[in-house]
Amino acid sequence: MGRILFGGTAALLICIFLSPKFIEFLREREFGQHIREDGPAGHHQKAGTPTMGGVIIFLAVSVSFLILTNYEWRSVGVFGAAIACALLGFADDYTKLIKRRSLGLRARTKLIVTVAISLALWWVARHEAHLPAQLWLRFVDYHIDLGPFYPVLIYLVVAGTTSAVNLTDGLDGLAAGCVAIVLLAYIGITFITFDYDLAVLAGCLVGACIGFLWYNAFPATIFMGDTGSLGLGGAIAGLAVMTQTEVLLILLGGIFVVEALSVAIQVISFQTTRKRVFLMAPIHHHFELGGWSETKIILRFWIVASICGAIGFTIYRQSRGL
């Protein structure tokens, strides 16, 4: 417990004390957020806000974790996946800001890198952490042997989680707060399974997210960018794989699932009927255009995320007979 608290506190303080200088650095180089023209009108005033705050998040996590870890394969695998996803996000941010490509990296490049990250995570899970190639249905305490399809599951978890967290990162503090809530649930889960090194990593991630929220909360003075959203999504995906809670993650990260589904529903509906189900997707923009204030949306989404996390954690405890 001491290492978890120390790691989380250290990551939080690193974020709080280093962020002002980093924000100043980004402003001097005009590394500011580009706002989509068809987005909510209130967002245009956010144009130019420094982005790539994920660099600070993962600097804080890396310093804290690498000092406190026992270098067990499960935690090293999750940390590696998170850093790799963060680097992919950094390359995407860099392409948007420096090379002025509004869409960032090409879709094929992202796909290839995500597949490579997933295969590396699979290798660690199977050959170093010695996890069985199984899909656990914690709701009914039943598992399915996947055999050669296990890498496919890991790819779906990594690709789906990183994309969903990235879609959620559309309002000040929304993604950082929701990620911190999910990671708190994983601290509890890893504590139950005595995976204390994983718990230390989750604690460092929570601390970094909360420290980042000091500047990312409404009105934000910095955004996490794809560096942060993809990296944090990769961390959650890695934790799900190493704790074999891939299916339970649908509930634990319920708010991310809702955000991703809203985009899928909107696209399918428009392509088939030329009609929109939501005023705008992801769904947080629907509520925004419906008249809800940004802070009200954020707080209510955090509440929903907390409920999902609590229910998911309870289901996991019951599946372990606790």
Side-chain angles (χ1 to χ4, degrees):
M1 178 63 78
R3 282 197 303 150
I4 299 169
L5 290 173
F6 186 78
T9 302
L12 184 151
L13 292 175
I14 290 172
C15 270
I16 287 179
F17 287 110
L18 290 187
S19 289
K21 286 292 184 183
F22 187 63
I23 293 171
E24 182 181 345
F25 170 83
L26 294 173
R27 281 180 177 157
E28 288 175 353
R29 283 153 184 78
E30 298 183 350
F31 289 173
Q33 180 73 34
H34 296 289
I35 304 298
R36 51 191 274 201
E37 294 182 3
D38 60 341
H43 284 220
H44 294 297
Q45 63 188 14
K46 299 182 181 184
T49 301
T51 187
M52 289 201 294
V55 171
I56 284 292
I57 292 175
F58 281 97
L59 174 63
V61 171
S62 298
V63 171
S64 305
F65 174 71
L66 292 176
I67 290 174
L68 295 171
T69 181
N70 291 327
Y71 293 95
E72 296 176 5
W73 272 110
R74 293 193 186 195
S75 57
V76 169
V78 176
F79 178 73
I83 293 297
C85 288
L87 289 173
L88 175 61
F90 179 82
D92 200 36
D93 286 333
Y94 181 85
T95 303
K96 292 175 184 175
L97 294 170
I98 304 300
K99 298 191 176 182
R100 304 298 179 184
R101 276 178 52 87
S102 60
L103 296 178
L105 295 175
R106 291 179 173 82
R108 186 172 68 174
T109 303
K110 294 179 183 178
L111 173 63
I112 292 172
V113 175
T114 303
V115 168
I117 293 170
S118 303
L119 288 175
L121 185 61
W122 163 77
W123 177 267
V124 173
R126 287 290 289 137
H127 299 282
E128 302 298 344
H130 305 296
L131 294 177
Q134 296 173 341
L135 176 67
W136 277 90
L137 306 176
R138 300 287 178 181
F139 303 91
V140 292
D141 196 21
Y142 181 77
H143 69 266
I144 301 170
D145 290 322
L146 295 178
F149 295 102
Y150 188 48
V152 178
L153 170 68
I154 293 178
Y155 167 75
L156 292 175
V157 173
V158 173
T161 308
T162 53
S163 297
V165 175
N166 185 253
L167 290 170
T168 305
D169 185 32
L171 298 178
D172 298 356
L174 178 58
C178 290
V179 167
I181 290 166
V182 174
L183 290 169
L184 280 171
Y186 270 111
I187 290 177
I189 288 171
T190 51
F191 226 75
I192 288 174
T193 57
F194 305 107
D195 291 319
Y196 297 128
D197 216 40
L198 272 180
V200 169
L201 176 56
C204 292
L205 287 160
V206 170
C209 285
I210 295 173
F212 182 72
L213 268 173
W214 189 268
Y215 301 97
N216 183 234
F218 182 84
T221 53
I222 187 172
F223 299 138
M224 67 170 64
D226 289 352
T227 308
S229 60
L230 296 187
L232 292 171
I236 293 174
L239 284 165
V241 169
M242 292 303 176
T243 57
Q244 296 189 291
T245 54
E246 297 94 344
V247 175
L248 190 60
L249 180 59
I250 296 172
L251 179 56
L252 287 166
I255 205 73
F256 302 129
V257 174
V258 170
E259 292 273 25
L261 280 178
S262 70
V263 173
I265 292 170
Q266 186 87 322
V267 171
I268 293 171
S269 175
F270 189 75
Q271 289 183 345
T272 55
T273 68
R274 311 308 294 179
K275 294 181 180 178
R276 292 180 171 85
V277 176
F278 306 103
L279 296 174
M280 183 179 288
I283 197 169
H284 55 258
H285 289 319
H286 170 81
F287 292 114
E288 196 173 10
L289 294 178
W292 288 21
S293 69
E294 187 165 343
T295 51
K296 178 177 285 188
I297 297 169
I298 294 164
L299 288 173
R300 288 183 174 177
F301 274 46
W302 285 354
I303 291 170
V304 173
S306 299
I307 294 170
C308 290
I311 295 174
F313 175 69
T314 302
I315 290 173
Y316 185 83
R317 285 186 71 241
Q318 291 177 342
S319 73
R320 302 278 300 189
L322 299 174

